[in-house]
Amino acid sequence: MQSEKYDQQKLNNKLKNLQDQLPEFTRDFFRGISDLTQIKTRIAYAFDLRTFFYYLNKNHALFEERSGIKDFVVEDMDQIRAVDIEKFSEYLNDYELPHYTDEQTMIHYSNSAQGKMRKLSALRSFYKYYYKKEMISTNPAVLVDLPKLHEKPIVRLEPNEIVDLLNSIENGEQLTSGQKRYYDKNHRRDLSMIALLLGTGIRISECVGLNISDFDMQNNSFRVIRKGGTQTILFLPEEVKNLLIDYLQTDRYALIPIDEYSQDATFLSLQKRRMTVSAVEKMLKKYTKYVVPLKNISPHKLRSTFGTNLYRETGDIYLVADVLGHKDVNTTKKHYAAIDEDRRKIAAKVTKLRKE
């Protein structure tokens, strides 16, 4: 499809631009992993390696005289010791990097524990490649322990909160006067989009990438492009389908997109362009801050809500993994294991040793 080609070209350009900022020898690495990784992974590696070489250029005594990171050569990698990588890890604690999401890649950048983990993992892959190819004789990255990540509690919407959220979008009573100026033009779109996220569990990147031609309303189905570019057919709950049809036949039909990328887009902004990830995040926050003020609800939390509800209804972790598009069921188990604990607590409560 045209939109897929457009997205792929943007990603290719993004990676090329980043590679142009890195040492010339790193091109071997990216070429070597091109058939083993997705382009978004390679873009993330490029960002992380740029940070690493910047650190070496500014903080390592052997490389401070270099005019820039493009001056590094592969032989320099043998000059790095495990302690240098540990110092880089410490440097990341105070590294000035704002938390943001790259719109083109959906990669989250931050200097959090997860951000450090990803950068050190990138270094491991980087060193592993050159060591395996016998271009360097040392591999210090494998000697550095990865940081331990503390699991965060899963935030999700309860059934009554889902009802309150949908009702809030339908009536718009809690919006400010400024927000209400655009309510009539947007509320059908907002309601159908949030219902779609809650009713199918698709990722926000998958949602904004949907085209009208991806839907088969007669069969209550739609096509979604998963991570890695694989296509999957999912099915719409009847309520979600009706909300989508209402939006498509009214507000969406009235908008004529102004660029080729948006011609077939399902969800459009008032600027007549395909909705972006950040725009959806802001839209959701507009409603949830009134409905669930104590919960920080992102589009991914709607995905968690769907997965939780589906698992509670079916008890089938493999079905949940399949619908969510998890390649490894252990990923699903990690996110929804708490539900099993809830079930075990119920078992303890209903078990009585002495009948009354």
Side-chain angles (χ1 to χ4, degrees), residues 154-195:
I154 298 174
V155 178
R156 56 178 73 92
L157 292 174
E158 297 302 323
N160 63 300
E161 294 172 335
I162 294 175
V163 174
D164 290 343
L165 174 59
L166 297 177
N167 287 342
S168 174
I169 302 172
E170 280 188 313
N171 58 49
E173 291 178 355
Q174 295 174 313
L175 299 179
T176 65
S177 57
Q179 291 170 337
K180 287 182 178 179
R181 291 190 321 184
Y182 303 100
Y183 174 74
D184 288 338
K185 297 179 180 180
N186 287 335
H187 80 279
R188 289 186 184 88
R189 179 203 67 193
D190 297 349
L191 182 60
S192 62
M193 182 179 289
I194 290 178

Side-chain angles (χ1 to χ4, degrees), residues 299-313:
H300 191 75
K301 302 300 188 298
L302 302 186
R303 180 170 160 84
S304 297
T305 298
F306 169 82
T308 299
N309 291 340
L310 181 60
Y311 186 52
R312 280 175 173 162
E313 289 293 325

Side-chain angles (χ1 to χ4, degrees), residues 44 47-49 51 88-89 92-93 95 97-99 107-123 146-149 152:
F47 269 109
D48 296 337
L49 290 174
T51 303
F88 171 63
S89 178
L92 292 174
N93 292 331
Y95 178 57
L97 179 64
H99 188 102
I107 297 170
H108 299 274
Y109 302 101
S110 73
N111 55 358
S112 63
Q114 281 190 325
K116 288 176 61 176
M117 168 75 83
R118 203 196 68 203
K119 289 177 176 62
L120 294 177
S121 296
L123 279 181
L146 296 177
K148 184 177 180 180
L149 296 180
K152 297 180 180 179

Side-chain angles (χ1 to χ4, degrees), residues 28-57:
D28 294 330
F29 168 66
F30 288 103
R31 183 170 56 252
I33 66 171
S34 61
D35 292 333
L36 306 174
T37 58
Q38 303 300 327
I39 189 168
K40 291 182 180 180
T41 300
R42 299 196 294 278
I43 289 174
Y45 281 172
F47 269 109
D48 296 337
L49 290 174
R50 186 177 66 177
T51 303
F52 177 64
F53 282 113
Y54 175 85
Y55 163 78
L56 293 178
N57 190 203

